[in-house]
């Protein structure tokens, strides 16, 4: 296999590059995007997994005649480079560029078919000029503010952390240190202004996004409150972030009640209640109002959002009397529109938003990052650099502004942007990476949205939220044609390595330091057999001694077997325990296909010597249609690459049962064998190329072949999806359903294939709404709907209904078997 790869890799890659100039069969694009890597200097198995999944998906769409966009680049700003510079005395830029060169060589050695002509790097001025441009446009549209606020501080990395960068234990996502609270003046982006729209957008994406939509929806939180920012009087840029259910409360707010855990509370105070030594401005009424701090157990049944609420003269009567807050004799009567207009005019909010989502803190106290393009002018104002004068370079940070170049006097901001800002829009730059005058040309931006986004499930909340926010904003200002940046997702689970831990001390050990006991039941330390060792699977890292050297793995096993091992091990969404996987299944599959192909080649005879059998032809045709449809469904619709491989194995087993002479000499037989090898190339491009050339030496390279299509009289799947739950996927003749309208499809479902579940749902009182359907000719017709009321509760009910249907089916099957046995 290694010699096959050496023989074929150059030919296949040259053809891939050359075919970019040839028009595709379909005048339609597929934008397949994998999350770009941080250039740490070495590829690992996690990288190989995400890029193998995206490459298999891209190859599949190319074979189907699509014009595929499959780019790669580098998320190249970040703390590791800065730490390396500090610790080793190297320039962070040089360190980063050297790592990019190393990883580029490693990536090219995998033979993954990336569009290298689209390569980008976020640390290059040609890229971050447009990062700064987006920041300036946000500032121009009133979505950026300088705020004195309590922030999360990483004591190890010495920088601010966004709330999204802290785990459930209060630790930094990067350093692992417990985050501290600190008051600093920071640049923040008003993401809560978009929270409700982003939440509503997720409902439309839930069918394709599945659990990712749920993760992000939980992150955004319920959007049923109104936000008001009440400035602290006597300060330049501090405010209390107030969220209230009833918008009309603000028009008669005379005091605030804060919990002791509120950022504005005095952490040294132990006596409650107490009044803070400042007042805040109610921007709607123009009144100065006090803020009273209470202990956390004060009126536990009263609702607080972000640890604050408006004081109530009945509920909080004792507080009002104690601190002499007078209740106005006359109540102000304002309309909702009046309130929102006054709040918006003064920059005080007034919009409906999330209960929990706060502003995105984007300032970072680092050198190696996108410089924040803001200027502290000589008259004390803060202004954005002029768009046409960008970029502001790293050497400009904290320096006096060059008036000739920037046409403004003052000093540049010394902070840099959160690296999540870089990755919030990089997918747009891939479309026009060399453009010096625009973020990307309108012609190329029409290629949006991304059709399939492949990457770690851990990025579902933070990165994906910021990317959607920026995309919505750019759509609002007319830069891009679509609001949602990603249509479909393939979230990927992590690859875990086998980890050895000394039980008594918790110390991580190298695999070379341990051995199995004589009975193979326990693991112990080689140097001291009395020391017990525990073996578990954890996320790979250097500190845990559980990593796998990808370069060494590719050298040992080769590209195709490594791809097969990764894709076969688990569904993309599931984690992989690397030590539990091996090459046996992959080698067995390839051996069986190779043996069958060889037998078919040897079995070719003159047409006069061969006699067709309609029964065998019908059997092969049915097998062909079933497996071609199922492999395509797994790759395109279900995104289950491991199941697609199982279907290829099933196809191989079915064909192995047929006489190779018949396979070699019948039209149906040779079509099936050809199709098997064409589909195999998505997973094993080099082995498939060799098999194809042996089988069809005069038919050109395997890359030039078309993905097989099912016959006009074949079956397709008729799926029913309710709130993202599958209600069944029976097979139906494609001619019966592929051309039906929505109302006719639902009528058929109710009377035939899905009648049982739909009747039981109706009997359970579940009301279906938002009826629609999606279809892919030759694959499926999918009916989609949602339910009224509590989605989680309805999902549980539907799950129980499906269990009942399955139980009844098993009971029926058992009776049929018993009758058959009796006969």
């Amino acid at each position: 296999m290694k010699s096959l790869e050496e023989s074929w890799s150059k030919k296949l890659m040259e053809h891939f590059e050359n075919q970019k100039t040839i028009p595709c069969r379909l005048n339609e694009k597929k934008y397949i995007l994998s999350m770009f890597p941080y250039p740490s200097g070495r590829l690992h198995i996690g990288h190989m997994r995400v890029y193998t999944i995206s490459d298999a998906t891209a190859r599949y769409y190319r074979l189907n005649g699509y014009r595929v966009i499959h780019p790669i680049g580098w998320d190249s700003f970040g703390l590791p480079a800065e730490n390396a510079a500090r610790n080793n005395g190297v320039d962070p830029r040089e360190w980063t560029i050297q790592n990019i060169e190393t990883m580029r060589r490693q990536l090219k050695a995998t033979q993954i078919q990336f569009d290298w002509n689209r390569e980008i790097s976020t640390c290059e001025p040609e890229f971050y000029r447009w990062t700064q441009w987006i920041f300036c446009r946000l500032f121009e549209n009133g979505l950026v503010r300088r705020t004195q606020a309590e922030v999360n501080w990483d004591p190890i990395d010495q920088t601010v952390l966004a709330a999204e960068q802290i785990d459930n234990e209060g630790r930094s996502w990067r350093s692992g240190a417990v985050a501290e609270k600190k008051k600093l003046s920071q640049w923040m982006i008003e993401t809560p202004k978009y929270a409700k729209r982003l939440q509503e957008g997720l409902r439309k994406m839930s069918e394709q996004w599945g659990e990712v939509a749920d993760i992000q929806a939980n992150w955004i939180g319920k959007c049923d409150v109104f936000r008001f920012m009440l400035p602290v009087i006597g300060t330049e840029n501090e405010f209390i972030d107030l969220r209230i259910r009833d918008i009309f409360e603000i028009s008669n707010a005379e005091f605030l009640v804060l919990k002791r855990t509120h950022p504005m509370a005095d952490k040294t105070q132990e006596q409650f209640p107490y009044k803070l030594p400042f007042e805040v401005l109610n921007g709607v009424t123009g009144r100065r109002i006090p803020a009273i701090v209470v202990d956390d157990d004060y009126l536990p049944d009263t609702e607080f959002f972000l640890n604050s609420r408006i004081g109530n003269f009945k509920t909080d009567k004792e507080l009002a009397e104690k601190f002499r807050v007078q209740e106005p004799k006359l109540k102000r009567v304002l309309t909702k529109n009046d309130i929102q207009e006054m709040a918006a005019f003064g920059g005080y909010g007034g919009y409906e938003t999330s209960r929990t989502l706060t502003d995105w803190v984007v300032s970072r106290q680092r050198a190696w990052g996108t410089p924040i393009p803001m200027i502290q002018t000589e008259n004390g104002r803060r202004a954005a650099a002029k768009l046409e004068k960008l970029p502001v370079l790293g050497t400009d940070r904290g320096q006096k502004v060059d008036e000739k170049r920037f046409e403004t006097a003052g000093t540049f901001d010394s902070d840099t942007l959160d690296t999540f800002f870089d990755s919030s829009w990089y997918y747009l730059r891939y479309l026009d990476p060399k453009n010096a005058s625009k973020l990307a040309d309108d012609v190329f931006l029409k290629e949006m949205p991304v059709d399939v986004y492949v990457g770690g499930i851990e990025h579902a909340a933070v990165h994906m939220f910021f990317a959607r926010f920026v995309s919505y904003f750019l759509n609002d200002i007319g830069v891009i044609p679509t609001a949602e940046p990603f249509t479909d997702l393939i979230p990927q689970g992590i690859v875990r390595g086998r980890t050895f831990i000394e039980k008594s001390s918790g110390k991580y050990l190298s695999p070379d330091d341990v051995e199995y006991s004589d009975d193979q039941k326990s693991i112990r330390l080689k140097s001291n057999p009395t020391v017990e060792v525990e073996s578990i699977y954890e996320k790979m890292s250097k500190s845990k001694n559980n990593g796998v050297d990808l370069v060494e793995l590719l050298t040992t096993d080769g590209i195709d077997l490594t791809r097969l091992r990764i894709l076969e091990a688990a569904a993309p969404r599931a984690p992989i325990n690397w030590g539990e996987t091996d090459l046996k299944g992959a080698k067995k599959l390839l051996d069986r296909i190779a043996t069958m192909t060889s037998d078919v080649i040897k079995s070719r005879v003159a047409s006069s010597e061969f006699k067709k059998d309609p029964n065998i032809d019908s059997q092969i045709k049915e097998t062909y249609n079933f497996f071609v449809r199922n492999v395509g469904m797994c790759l395109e619709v279900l995104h289950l690459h491991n199941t697609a491989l199982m279907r290829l194995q099933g196809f191989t087993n079915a064909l192995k049962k047929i006489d190779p002479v018949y396979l070699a000499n019948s039209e149906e037989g040779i079509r099936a064998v050809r199709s098997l090898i064409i589909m195999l190339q998505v997973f094993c491009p080099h082995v498939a190329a060799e098999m194809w050339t042996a089988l069809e030496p005069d038919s050109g390279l395997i890359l030039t072949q078309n993905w097989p299509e099912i016959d006009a009289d074949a079956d397709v799947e008729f799926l029913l999806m309710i709130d993202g739950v599958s209600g069944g996927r029976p097979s139906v003749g494609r001619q019966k359903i592929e051309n039906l309208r929505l109302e006719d499809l639902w009528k058929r479902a109710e009377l035939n294939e899905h009648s049982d579940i739909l009747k039981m749902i109706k009997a359970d009182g579940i009301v279906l709404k938002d009826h629609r359907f999606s279809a892919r000719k030759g694959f499926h017709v999918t009916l989609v709907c949602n339910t009224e009321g509590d989605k989680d509760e309805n999902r549980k009910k539907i799950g129980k209904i499906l269990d009942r249907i399955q139980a009844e089916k098993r009971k029926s099957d058992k009776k049929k078997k018993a009758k058959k046995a009796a006969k």
Side-chain angles (χ1 to χ4, degrees):
M1 283 188 66
K2 289 299 295 298
S3 63
L4 285 185
E5 285 170 11
E6 288 171 13
S7 168
W8 279 106
S9 57
K10 190 177 178 184
K11 292 177 198 170
L12 295 179
M13 195 55 76
E14 281 179 355
H15 178 80
F16 165 66
E17 293 297 339
N18 293 336
Q19 74 176 3
K20 289 179 185 178
T21 60
I22 302 169
C24 298
R25 280 185 290 127
L26 302 177
N27 187 26
E28 192 176 339
K29 65 86 193 176
K30 285 290 178 183
Y31 186 175
I32 313 300
L33 178 65
S34 48
M35 292 181 183
F36 62 171
Y38 177 78
S40 58
R42 198 157 192 82
L43 281 181
H44 54 68
I45 294 290
H47 289 127
M48 187 66 183
R49 188 183 190 195
V50 69
Y51 302 135
T52 300
I53 291 169
S54 75
D55 185 58
T57 305
R59 287 174 188 265
Y60 166 79
Y61 279 114
R62 282 192 206 99
L63 291 168
N64 275 278
Y66 290 93
R67 177 171 50 83
V68 172
I69 300 167
H70 187 218
I72 188 66
W74 312 97
D75 191 7
S76 48
F77 272 135
L79 269 175
E82 202 162 328
N83 292 340
R86 186 169 56 242
N87 299 335
N88 306 320
V90 297
D91 179 73
R93 179 176 174 79
E94 288 178 15
W95 185 87
T96 301
I97 289 172
Q98 188 177 352
N99 284 352
I100 287 173
E101 288 172 357
T102 301
M103 288 180 72
R104 189 188 293 117
R105 283 197 303 273
Q106 292 171 353
L107 261 182
K108 286 188 173 182
T110 66
Q111 296 297 303
I112 289 169
Q113 293 180 336
F114 284 123
D115 297 332
W116 283 102
N117 58 315
R118 296 182 184 273
E119 185 181 8
I120 59 171
S121 177
T122 61
C123 72
E124 296 298 336
E126 294 80 11
F127 180 90
Y128 71 70
R129 169 188 179 180
W130 302 106
T131 307
Q132 293 173 341
W133 184 89
I134 294 170
F135 181 90
C136 291
R137 295 300 305 271
L138 285 162
F139 181 78
E140 178 187 307
N141 282 271
L143 289 166
V144 176
R145 65 173 72 234
R146 183 81 173 173
T147 306
Q148 180 80 18
E150 187 176 74
V151 294
N152 302 298
W153 180 260
D154 187 322
I156 291 180
D157 286 337
Q158 294 288 297
T159 190
V160 167
L161 297 166
E164 299 85 1
Q165 295 166 325
I166 296 173
D167 65 19
N168 294 331
E169 295 177 357
R171 296 180 180 275
S172 163
W173 72 294
R174 189 184 289 280
S175 73
V178 175
E180 300 171 355
K181 294 293 183 183
K182 203 172 187 179
K183 269 201 173 182
L184 288 174
S185 190
Q186 305 286 298
W187 289 108
M188 296 188 180
I189 296 177
E190 202 176 333
T191 51
K193 200 165 189 177
Y194 277 71
K196 188 170 176 65
R197 284 175 61 199
L198 290 166
Q199 185 73 283
E200 287 170 349
L202 286 173
R203 293 194 190 103
K204 299 169 189 169
M205 310 303 291
S206 61
E207 183 190 337
Q208 301 102 307
W209 286 26
E211 75 213 87
V212 173
D214 293 337
I215 291 168
Q216 195 170 125
N218 289 335
W219 170 251
I220 293 171
K222 283 191 175 180
C223 294
D224 59 356
V225 295
F226 292 89
R227 184 190 198 195
F228 291 93
M229 290 165 279
L230 311 184
V232 175
I233 293 167
T235 65
E236 185 185 346
N237 48 25
E238 283 190 87
F239 65 86
I240 287 180
D241 191 346
L242 178 71
R243 312 283 170 103
I244 54 176
R245 274 188 193 272
D246 182 359
I247 192 172
F248 298 104
E249 284 185 13
I250 195 70
S251 55
N252 287 288
E254 293 295 323
F255 67 103
L256 300 182
V257 180
L258 313 182
K259 285 192 174 184
R260 69 183 298 176
T261 44
H262 191 280
M264 290 291 186
D266 183 349
K267 302 299 185 286
T268 63
Q269 274 277 11
E270 292 297 330
Q271 298 297 315
F272 300 94
Y274 66 88
K275 189 166 77 170
L276 286 171
F278 56 77
E279 292 179 309
V280 298
L281 176 69
N282 181 340
V284 173
T285 64
R287 286 185 58 79
R288 299 159 66 112
I289 62 175
I292 299 166
V293 182
V294 296
D295 208 346
D296 285 345
D297 59 2
Y298 174 76
L299 297 180
D301 295 332
T302 311
E303 203 168 42
F304 285 78
F305 299 113
L306 299 181
N307 293 319
S308 66
R309 64 173 173 82
I310 291 173
N312 184 289
F313 283 100
K314 289 180 181 177
T315 311
D316 306 301
K317 184 180 178 183
E318 290 182 13
L319 289 182
E321 288 175 351
K322 181 179 175 70
F323 296 102
R324 298 179 181 177
V325 182
Q326 297 295 316
E327 183 175 6
K329 291 178 181 177
L330 295 174
K331 296 286 183 185
R332 297 177 193 85
V333 180
L334 297 173
T335 66
K336 183 179 179 182
N337 190 58
D338 289 339
I339 293 169
Q340 291 187 312
E341 277 192 5
M342 286 189 281
F345 180 76
Y348 305 127
Y351 48 82
E352 194 170 9
T353 187
S354 159
R355 298 180 181 187
T356 53
L357 188 72
T358 54
D359 291 336
W360 175 14
V361 182
V362 293
S363 294
R364 295 294 178 269
Q365 293 65 46
R366 307 173 187 158
W368 186 238
T370 297
I372 294 179
M374 297 299 292
I375 298 168
Q376 174 84 45
T377 61
E378 291 181 346
N379 62 8
R381 287 176 53 253
R382 292 184 185 273
K386 291 184 177 179
L387 299 177
E388 66 275 14
K389 302 299 180 183
L390 297 173
V392 174
L393 301 173
T395 51
D396 295 326
R397 286 175 47 255
Q399 302 298 309
K400 192 173 180 182
V401 176
D402 180 343
E403 285 188 56
K404 279 187 179 179
R405 182 183 158 203
F406 287 95
E407 299 175 2
T408 307
T411 306
F412 283 114
D413 201 286
S414 59
D415 287 350
T416 55
L417 286 171
D418 179 8
T419 51
F420 277 118
F421 204 107
D422 304 324
S423 59
S424 70
W425 75 278
Y426 76 108
Y427 47 88
L428 298 172
R429 190 62 177 172
Y430 278 138
L431 299 173
D432 195 9
K434 305 295 189 292
N435 197 321
S437 59
K438 296 178 79 171
L439 181 149
D441 194 276
D442 294 349
V443 172
F444 299 112
L445 288 171
K446 286 177 183 174
E447 307 281 24
M448 285 295 290
V450 171
D451 293 285
V452 182
Y453 196 20
V454 187
I457 188 74
E458 67 273 19
H459 297 298
V462 187
H463 158 64
M464 294 280 290
F465 171 76
F466 292 146
R468 291 183 66 230
F469 164 74
V470 167
S471 182
Y472 269 56
F473 168 71
L474 292 175
N475 176 249
D476 284 351
I477 63 172
V479 174
I480 59 176
T482 57
E484 288 293 349
F486 316 118
T487 300
D488 212 348
L489 304 176
I490 305 181
Q492 172 216 316
I494 62 171
V495 183
R496 299 186 290 216
R498 195 173 186 194
T499 313
F500 298 98
I501 304 170
E502 192 176 298
K503 279 189 178 180
S504 57
S505 66
K507 178 184 174 186
Y508 287 103
L509 304 169
S510 166
D512 297 331
D513 297 334
V514 302
E515 63 182 6
Y516 278 94
S517 58
D518 295 336
D519 59 6
Q520 299 292 303
K521 289 182 179 178
S522 62
I523 307 168
R524 62 197 183 194
L525 198 62
K526 277 183 185 176
S527 58
N528 185 356
T530 62
V531 175
E532 288 189 31
V533 175
E534 182 184 17
S535 172
I536 59 174
Y537 284 94
E538 292 186 319
K539 187 176 180 179
M540 293 183 180
S541 74
K542 285 182 184 177
S543 62
K544 295 175 183 176
N545 298 304
N546 66 349
V548 174
D549 188 320
L550 180 60
V551 174
E552 187 179 309
L553 186 71
L554 291 172
T555 303
T556 306
D557 297 339
I559 296 166
D560 282 7
L561 279 177
T562 301
R563 286 171 68 100
L564 268 186
R565 185 176 177 183
I566 286 170
L567 295 172
E568 182 190 48
R573 293 169 187 249
I576 293 177
N577 291 337
W578 191 251
E580 292 178 352
T581 67
D582 59 36
L583 297 170
K584 288 178 185 174
K587 286 181 176 177
K588 186 178 178 182
L589 173 63
L590 294 183
D591 283 343
R592 287 176 70 80
I593 297 175
T595 302
M596 182 183 68
T597 306
S598 296
D599 289 345
V600 166
I601 293 167
K602 291 173 190 173
S603 301
R604 284 172 173 155
V605 297
S607 57
S608 57
E609 300 174 34
F610 176 72
K611 188 177 180 182
K612 287 179 70 174
D613 184 328
N615 291 328
I616 299 177
D617 271 357
S618 177
Q619 179 191 345
I620 296 172
K621 181 178 179 177
E622 188 178 338
T623 299
Y624 163 87
N625 282 313
F626 177 82
F627 285 108
V628 167
R629 185 190 82 222
N630 272 273
V631 173
M633 273 289 290
C634 288
L635 290 174
E636 182 173 335
V637 181
L638 304 174
H639 303 312
L640 294 172
H641 295 65
N642 61 321
T643 309
L645 269 170
M646 288 169 62
R647 296 290 177 265
L648 276 188
Q649 192 170 1
F651 196 12
T652 306
N653 294 341
L655 293 179
K656 287 276 283 182
K657 293 175 183 175
I658 297 166
D659 185 344
V661 174
Y662 204 92
L663 288 177
N665 297 285
S666 70
E667 288 179 12
E668 289 292 349
I670 200 65
R671 177 177 76 152
V673 176
R674 284 164 55 102
S675 299
L676 174 65
I677 296 171
I678 289 169
M679 293 191 293
L680 178 66
Q681 70 172 303
V682 162
F683 309 95
C684 291
H686 304 92
V687 173
E690 179 71 14
M691 290 180 183
W692 178 260
T693 302
L695 183 71
E696 299 287 344
D698 302 321
S699 298
L701 285 175
I702 193 169
L703 288 177
T704 64
Q705 308 307 309
N706 298 334
W707 187 266
E709 294 181 2
I710 69 168
D711 294 318
D713 57 351
D715 288 348
V716 294
E717 293 188 11
F718 188 23
L719 289 88
L720 174 64
M721 299 295 293
I722 307 167
D723 275 344
V725 176
S726 173
R729 42 186 293 195
S731 296
V732 182
R734 62 184 298 194
Q735 291 177 342
K736 294 177 182 177
I737 62 170
E738 280 191 341
N739 297 312
L740 292 182
R741 295 172 303 168
L742 176 62
E743 58 196 72
D744 296 323
L745 285 169
W746 272 102
K747 193 178 289 183
R748 181 184 177 96
E750 288 167 350
L751 295 174
N752 298 295
E753 289 79 16
H754 298 293
S755 60
D756 288 347
I757 187 170
L758 290 173
K759 282 175 187 172
M760 293 167 91
I761 282 173
K762 190 175 182 180
D764 260 21
I766 300 172
V767 179
L768 303 181
K769 63 176 185 177
D770 303 332
H771 297 71
R772 56 201 185 277
F773 80 98
S774 64
R776 167 81 155 85
K777 287 203 170 181
F779 282 8
H780 72 98
V781 174
T782 301
L783 289 173
V784 183
C785 63
N786 300 109
T787 61
E788 288 185 358
D790 189 317
K791 185 185 280 191
D792 291 332
E793 190 60 36
N794 287 335
R795 279 177 176 171
K796 288 176 188 174
K797 286 182 181 178
I798 293 167
K800 288 178 182 176
I801 289 170
L802 288 168
D803 289 341
R804 274 155 49 201
I805 290 171
Q806 285 299 317
E808 286 171 16
K809 187 177 182 299
R810 283 193 295 270
K811 196 174 176 181
S812 173
D813 290 345
K814 197 174 180 181
K815 281 183 181 177
K816 285 177 184 176
K817 277 186 181 178
K819 277 185 181 179
K820 194 175 180 182
K823 283 182 181 178

